[in-house]
Amino acid sequence: MEKQQTQEKLPGLDAGAEAQPTAPQGSGRPRVARICLPVPLYRAFDYSVPGAESLPEAELEAAPVVGGRVAVRFAHRPMIGICTALDPADAFADPSPIEHAIDTVPLLDAHHLALAAWLADYYHYPLGEVLAAMIPAEARKGSAAEIALETAWRIRPDQAAMVQRAIREEGAASLGLGRAKAQFALLQTLNENGPLSRAAIAELGYSAAVLKALAATEWVETLSWRPKPVPPPPEPALLLTSEQATAVAAIQSGLGQFGAFLLDGVTGSGKTEVYLRALHSALADGGQALILVPEIGLTPQTVRRVQARFTDVVALHSAMNDAERWQAWLKCAQGDARILIGTRSACFASFSDLRMIIVDEEHDPSFKQQDGLRYSARDFAVVRARQEGIPVVLGSATPSLESLHNAALGRYTTLTLRERPGAAELPTLRLLDIRGHTLEEGISPQLFHVMRRHLADGGQVLTFINRRGFAPTLMCPQCGWIADCRDCDARMTLHARPEHLRCHHCGARRPPARHCEGCGHDELVPVGQGTQRAEQGLAEFFPDTPVLRIDRDVTRSQRQLAAQLDAVLEGGPMILVGTQMLAKGHHFPNVTLVAVLGADGGFFSADFRAPERMAQTIMQVAGRAGRAERAGEVWIQTYQPEHPLLQRLVKSGYGEFAQSELNARAAAEMPPTRPMALIRADATHPEEGMAFLQSLKPRLAGVEAYGPAPAPIQRISNRFRHQLMVLADDRRTLRRALLGVRDQSAPRNVRWSIDVDPYDAF
Ligand code: ADP
Ligand code: ZN
Ligand code: ZN
């Protein structure tokens, strides 16, 4: 797995002159290491490497390597950085010595360092901090890059002959296992396979008790070992649809070179099957692949399908602890894992032989990091694929306008899946005009009727509401006073069980107000619908039907979510209530009705992305219906049945909706037609952030800068937020303008950041 470092592949790694390694005379031991440290400064630092002249050979510590970690002192504090160059031509004349080198083999290869440089440059973030963000927490702490050995069981070599004789002719009784059939069977398995780990033994169906009993005999012993990757199993016999076959062939023919594919396939059209098939060819003779998914907890089915099809699959997600993440990372880096399936930050993982990247649900907002290094994992995946010369597949039923734009420009190859395989049909979408109707718990009489029909037919009903909690607001019916957060310009959401008010922006909680703070009236009323309220109401309307709520409040634990999803998969008639979480890629074969309780909000927001987001959510939720033999129906309650965007979406589908949105964005000269960046500042006094942004404005050359203006929610946690919107005609101009401001220093109590390609622009 040793990787060769090639210096010339590392463009723009430091602020100084190009680093040219000059081999030191004699020993070959470097004398100066250029180190990038996790500090908010746009530069690297030179340190000396204690050399042969000062220490005898025997006491020499390992020298730093490019791409390896080095422990140093910085401003009197111990710190761990990444070495990006050795003996640079413009080395600092009098550097202080390093403490010691942690890695003797690079942790990050040349591709990685080049990609780090790209991230630092594109997102205007210090390289040292980019590098720190790219490696797992455990690596930042300096833990050794060693894969933990597993305990395995094997037949004791000195007893092997005896055991084999028993297996061949003499039988279990000769080993004293005459009445222990399972133990004897396990012994036979060990004889055929060689050492097996606890996990492998369990996977083969042996209970822990059987292993324990056999381990206590004289026939087996334990050893520490590192399991070798095994070849993937053969492809399954499932016949691809012709659309799928065309897509798979296109991706396969692109192996070994860069190519970006947009897999635009309606919900349930078998995109996952396309990924799996393409992976088979990518993994041939030791290749590796990376699969990015929005949230592992929300896509356990995807993970399971990958795990069922391939061996040596590792996951990387937020529910794992630091040590587990580090081990998963090392297995990819050292070639012990074949497939990495993970959320956003998995895009930075190291591989020994990466051959393909897949981004599932590429439109999903969770691919964009909202703080620190504000990268888009989807966009980075494409850049990485180009850097490594491999194909990348972006899949979605509702592609982002960015990806559709790139496809239209010919940067991406579009692969289309229009049909669901087998008997499954796409559901029809219907708008339900609720003007003038009395709603009960947010549900119109007509929808109520439809729900009852589907449940009576044995189907499951999925109701979608955009808000968690009981009700979005607690209001005084006398004077209109609304319970709001003391620290934010936002109203508190009412939650039930236990009843409390919660701010969804800063997380503050307090007991619900008993009296109106405006007029003293003592009967405050919850206004609007949240998932808890709908759950409660539906349970009253349908006392004989189980109602299952799925939102972030109930599904904090992965296990709980998985159990709930299983209940849905196996269950008969039932009602699901949930937020966007329900929309993400689940396969619910028994859902026949999807009801969208309120679809209006998205079309009136000030955010230019709101209609796109709303349309994606509606189509994704709708896509949960009719995924198996039974046909599905989708009903959308709205007060705006004539709204042109809603009409277009329902009548013509997402593709035409997206095209008209793209046209509108082009006319308004907004992204993706023109690149955008947002410069945000926040401070304890409203004027401070504003004044700082104002001072940046004249430095932004060649671009349009709008603002500074207050953020849509101006105050969060008692900090006042402002933003400057920057639009440019092209990337180069945007980059140059931002370079002109990125190292400005703000007053002490002003925090500020640059967000390139912001997701939440308002
Ligand atoms: P998507 O990822 O596009 O939402 P899936 O890959 O989950 O769609 O496929 C939807 C369903 O169709 C799954 O149950 C899957 O097993 C099934 N399926 C996919 N491809 C085929 C095929 N070629 N023949 C039969 N069933 C298929
Ligand atoms: Zn009042
Ligand atoms: Zn708050």
Side-chain angles (χ1 to χ4, degrees):
M1 57 129 312
E2 210 121 316
K3 291 174 193 161
Q4 287 302 311
Q5 291 301 302
T6 43
Q7 286 289 331
E8 57 279 4
K9 278 195 188 160
L10 316 176
L13 267 182
D14 53 70
E18 283 290 299
Q20 286 303 329
T22 47
Q25 291 91 6
S27 68
R29 189 176 172 83
R31 285 173 302 182
V32 175
R34 181 156 286 175
I35 317 272
C36 281
L37 294 167
V39 293
L41 297 168
Y42 289 91
R43 52 163 300 195
F45 299 87
D46 289 345
Y47 284 84
S48 66
V49 181
E53 61 279 4
S54 60
L55 290 169
E57 191 80 20
E59 284 170 37
L60 272 186
E61 295 215 28
V65 290
V66 171
R69 292 167 296 167
V70 181
V72 299
R73 296 192 80 76
F74 182 79
H76 307 294
R77 290 216 323 263
M79 214 176 258
I80 290 173
I82 302 274
C83 173
T84 54
L86 294 171
D87 292 320
D90 59 343
F92 183 61
D94 183 22
S96 21
I98 63 166
E99 295 278 303
H100 63 275
I102 297 172
D103 297 307
T104 50
V105 170
L107 191 65
L108 301 174
D109 65 9
H111 283 314
H112 248 92
L113 294 175
L115 289 166
W118 180 85
L119 284 164
D121 188 69
Y122 187 90
Y123 292 109
H124 299 276
Y125 206 64
L127 180 59
E129 299 208 272
V130 168
L131 288 164
M134 288 177 88
I135 59 177
E138 208 56 34
R140 293 196 289 274
K141 290 185 226 156
S143 298
E146 280 167 10
I147 292 182
L149 297 178
E150 285 180 24
T151 300
W153 281 263
R154 71 168 171 198
I155 293 168
R156 270 176 61 175
D158 55 345
Q159 304 284 14
M162 173 97 178
V163 169
Q164 278 157 9
R165 208 174 318 125
I167 291 170
R168 265 198 324 269
E169 49 210 82
E170 291 173 5
S174 70
L175 303 177
L177 297 174
R179 293 212 250 145
K181 278 210 182 69
Q183 287 179 52
F184 190 61
L186 176 52
L187 211 48
Q188 283 174 295
T189 305
L190 291 174
N191 185 51
E192 281 159 27
N193 291 278
L196 288 174
S197 68
R198 183 187 297 280
I201 290 170
E203 218 165 273
L204 291 168
Y206 296 100
S207 71
V210 168
L211 174 58
K212 195 174 168 204
L214 184 66
T217 69
E218 64 200 287
W219 314 118
V220 297
E221 64 179 12
T222 58
L223 73 159
S224 292
W225 81 321
R226 183 168 161 178
K228 291 272 158 306
V230 295
E235 285 187 39
L238 185 75
L239 204 61
L240 294 178
T241 65
S242 66
E243 287 179 326
Q244 283 175 319
T246 307
V248 170
I251 301 167
Q252 281 173 339
S253 71
L255 279 172
Q257 67 199 48
F258 169 67
F261 298 92
L262 177 60
L263 181 61
D264 180 353
V266 297
T267 50
S269 58
K271 292 184 290 297
T272 312
E273 192 58 43
V274 171
Y275 305 147
L276 296 175
R277 224 42 98 83
L279 286 170
H280 270 285
S281 32
L283 297 187
D285 51 85
Q288 294 172 305
L290 165 65
I291 307 173
L292 297 174
V293 294
E295 277 174 76
I296 292 258
L298 299 183
T299 46
Q301 292 166 21
T302 309
V303 179
R304 257 183 257 161
R305 279 169 75 178
V306 174
Q307 281 171 338
R309 196 70 73 84
F310 297 100
T311 49
D312 304 309
V313 178
V314 297
L316 202 58
H317 54 84
S318 56
M320 293 161 72
N321 67 32
D322 286 352
E324 289 167 338
R325 294 173 65 90
W326 181 220
Q327 285 300 312
W329 201 88
L330 289 171
K331 283 183 180 168
C332 295
Q334 302 186 9
D336 284 17
R338 281 277 160 68
I339 295 183
L340 175 65
I341 180 160
T343 45
R344 189 171 58 222
S345 66
C347 71
F348 298 141
S350 201
F351 291 90
S352 56
D353 190 4
L354 185 61
R355 305 263 183 91
M356 182 180 291
I357 305 177
I358 288 163
V359 185
D360 190 24
E361 310 291 354
E362 66 86 31
H363 64 279
D364 197 279
S366 71
F367 287 125
K368 172 80 173 162
Q369 167 103 358
Q370 306 277 14
D371 54 17
L373 172 60
R374 292 172 166 76
Y375 67 99
S376 155
R378 176 200 58 215
D379 297 347
F380 178 74
V382 176
V383 172
R384 181 166 188 177
R386 183 192 304 275
Q387 166 74 23
E388 308 216 9
I390 58 173
V392 55
V393 183
L394 311 179
S396 176
T398 53
S400 62
L401 297 192
E402 278 71 18
S403 294
L404 291 170
H405 180 67
N406 281 324
L409 292 179
R411 292 177 186 151
Y412 299 172
T413 305
T414 306
L415 306 169
T416 315
L417 307 179
R418 284 286 152 254
E419 297 193 334
R420 288 181 168 182
E425 286 198 26
L426 276 172
T428 43
L429 270 60
R430 287 195 196 130
L431 291 179
L432 187 53
D433 184 357
I434 49 172
R435 287 173 300 185
H437 287 275
T438 320
L439 306 188
E440 279 201 62
E441 301 300 346
I443 296 167
S444 64
Q446 203 181 347
L447 180 57
F448 188 71
H449 210 76
V450 181
M451 289 176 80
R452 176 163 295 189
R453 173 161 55 78
H454 277 264
L455 292 169
D457 285 349
Q460 294 178 338
V461 173
L462 186 158
T463 41
F464 168 79
I465 307 186
N466 225 347
R467 290 216 161 88
R468 63 197 166 90
F470 186 80
T473 13
L474 189 61
M475 192 181 81
C476 168
Q478 293 285 325
C479 73
W481 173 84
I482 282 170
D484 48 18
C485 179
R486 314 230 193 279
D487 297 332
C488 308
D489 294 336
R491 36 187 72 164
M492 301 285 271
T493 302
L494 182 66
H495 282 253
R497 282 170 285 156
E499 208 180 25
H500 66 281
L501 292 171
R502 196 189 305 169
C503 173
H504 286 182
H505 300 282
C506 71
R509 288 164 179 249
R510 62 172 196 257
R514 294 270 160 256
H515 305 282
C516 168
E517 288 177 18
C519 71
H521 185 70
D522 57 8
E523 229 168 282
L524 303 177
V525 292
V527 180
Q529 286 292 318
T531 44
Q532 285 183 331
R533 190 175 196 171
E535 177 192 22
Q536 192 174 309
L538 287 165
E540 281 168 27
F541 295 153
F542 300 96
D544 304 324
T545 308
V547 178
L548 196 66
R549 175 159 58 94
I550 297 188
D551 61 23
R552 205 162 297 282
D553 293 325
V554 266
T555 52
R556 293 213 184 267
S557 105
Q558 306 261 337
R559 191 168 301 175
Q560 194 177 350
L561 178 61
Q564 289 194 326
L565 295 176
D566 283 344
V568 181
L569 285 182
E570 289 155 19
M574 109 171 31
I575 302 173
L576 299 165
V577 183
T579 53
Q580 282 96 310
M581 287 186 93
L582 277 177
K584 302 204 178 190
H586 301 296
H587 187 63
F588 296 137
N590 303 326
V591 168
T592 55
L593 171 67
V594 166
V596 178
L597 293 196
D600 296 328
F603 295 118
F604 297 101
S605 164
D607 189 339
F608 74 93
R609 280 190 218 277
E612 174 189 358
R613 212 154 25 201
M614 190 74 216
Q616 286 165 344
T617 305
I618 290 179
M619 297 313 282
Q620 291 287 345
V621 188
R624 300 314 116 201
R627 288 173 67 100
E629 291 75 35
R630 301 154 181 253
E633 276 185 275
V634 179
W635 290 72
I636 302 167
Q637 291 194 151
T638 175
Y639 288 106
Q640 309 282 329
E642 278 112 40
H643 196 291
L645 292 179
L646 203 48
Q647 282 286 340
R648 183 164 303 121
L649 183 64
V650 168
K651 290 225 176 86
S652 319
Y654 181 80
E656 284 196 27
F657 170 90
Q659 190 50 53
S660 76
E661 271 297 288
L662 272 174
N663 296 343
R665 298 266 191 96
E669 303 195 304
M670 295 293 272
T673 310
R674 290 203 303 168
M676 177 191 275
L678 218 53
I679 306 179
R680 297 193 183 89
D682 65 72
T684 43
H685 293 287
E687 310 77 41
E688 289 171 323
M690 190 83 165
F692 174 67
L693 292 179
Q694 197 68 52
S695 76
L696 297 185
K697 216 173 158 179
R699 299 175 169 275
L700 289 162
V703 294
E704 287 166 30
Y706 299 95
I713 298 174
Q714 193 187 355
R715 186 179 53 113
I716 291 181
S717 296
N718 272 328
R719 291 186 72 88
F720 292 84
R721 305 151 71 241
H722 290 84
Q723 57 195 35
L724 196 58
M725 187 169 91
V726 184
L727 280 162
D729 286 340
D730 54 67
R731 290 267 161 212
R732 196 172 311 157
T733 314
L734 182 68
R735 173 177 175 273
R736 208 175 312 124
L738 294 173
L739 275 177
V741 299
R742 72 172 191 191
D743 41 19
Q744 291 298 300
S745 48
R748 235 184 148 39
N749 41 0
V750 175
R751 293 191 305 222
W752 74 289
S753 61
I754 297 175
D755 189 352
V756 177
D757 308 330
Y759 188 76
D760 283 308
F762 288 91

